[in-house]
Amino acid sequence: NESCPYTIDVSGPFWTSKRLFDITVGLALLIATAPIALLVAVLVLFDCGMPVIFWQMRIGRHGRRITIYKFRTLQAPYTARGEVRPEDRRVSVIGRLLRLSHIDELPQLVSVVRGEMSFIGPRPLLPADISSDANLRFAVRPGITGWAQVNGGTLLTVEEKNAMDEWYVRHASWKLE
């Protein structure tokens, strides 16, 4: 285990078992959802074009940069004629369904298996969204979903999300999960 400069010990039995859970379930889900992922990739190709995967740099464990991957849900900002496509019309028909079902996040399973992410943990933030007191969240792997996301999500301020994510880091256990 890497040493952690933060105020919580993430080398204990819970965190070890959580990582084993992430690897086991992540691999099983990658295999089980491979046909769905292939179908989604084809649908996105015809709906939005190439590339079918969207990626974005976020901040993960120990403040390291990680890349998150999702199926693309937005069409290009310009039409084939070079006209500007209005922002509110960029989410494609398939993209809307992928977002509602969260299937757009299937590619993040690869990040879970690789150890960059976990199923549950603080959502990885964009560098611009990191508050000055966000250090505790970097003690653990970021999650595909997290405490703040299921308890308010986009309705919360950055500070509220950070407070909820820190609460999760301090109280994480199988009883909580």
Side-chain angles (χ1 to χ4, degrees), residues 40 44 47-48 54 56 58 70-75 87-106 149 154:
V40 168
V44 169
D47 192 38
C48 294
F54 162 81
Q56 190 174 55
R58 302 279 180 107
K70 294 183 179 187
F71 282 112
R72 189 169 152 201
T73 59
L74 295 177
Q75 294 179 338
E87 194 65 33
D88 62 339
R89 292 195 165 155
R90 287 193 57 208
V91 177
S92 70
V93 174
I94 297 297
R96 193 169 288 107
L97 294 172
L98 294 177
R99 285 181 177 189
L100 284 171
S101 64
H102 299 284
I103 291 175
D104 62 320
E105 299 196 25
L106 273 178
Q149 189 174 13
T154 57

Side-chain angles (χ1 to χ4, degrees), residues 15 66 86:
W15 297 102
I66 62 169

Side-chain angles (χ1 to χ4, degrees), residues 37-97:
L38 183 60
L39 175 63
V40 168
V42 170
L43 291 172
V44 169
L45 176 65
F46 288 113
D47 192 38
C48 294
M50 288 291 286
V52 297
I53 300 287
F54 162 81
W55 60 90
Q56 190 174 55
M57 196 277 293
R58 302 279 180 107
I59 305 298
R61 188 173 184 208
H62 299 299
R64 292 189 183 120
R65 293 176 181 210
I66 62 169
T67 304
I68 63 159
Y69 300 94
K70 294 183 179 187
F71 282 112
R72 189 169 152 201
T73 59
L74 295 177
Q75 294 179 338
Y78 299 98
T79 66
R81 296 181 184 157
E83 299 164 343
V84 174
R85 182 174 280 129
E87 194 65 33
D88 62 339
R89 292 195 165 155
R90 287 193 57 208
V91 177
S92 70
V93 174
I94 297 297
R96 193 169 288 107
L97 294 172

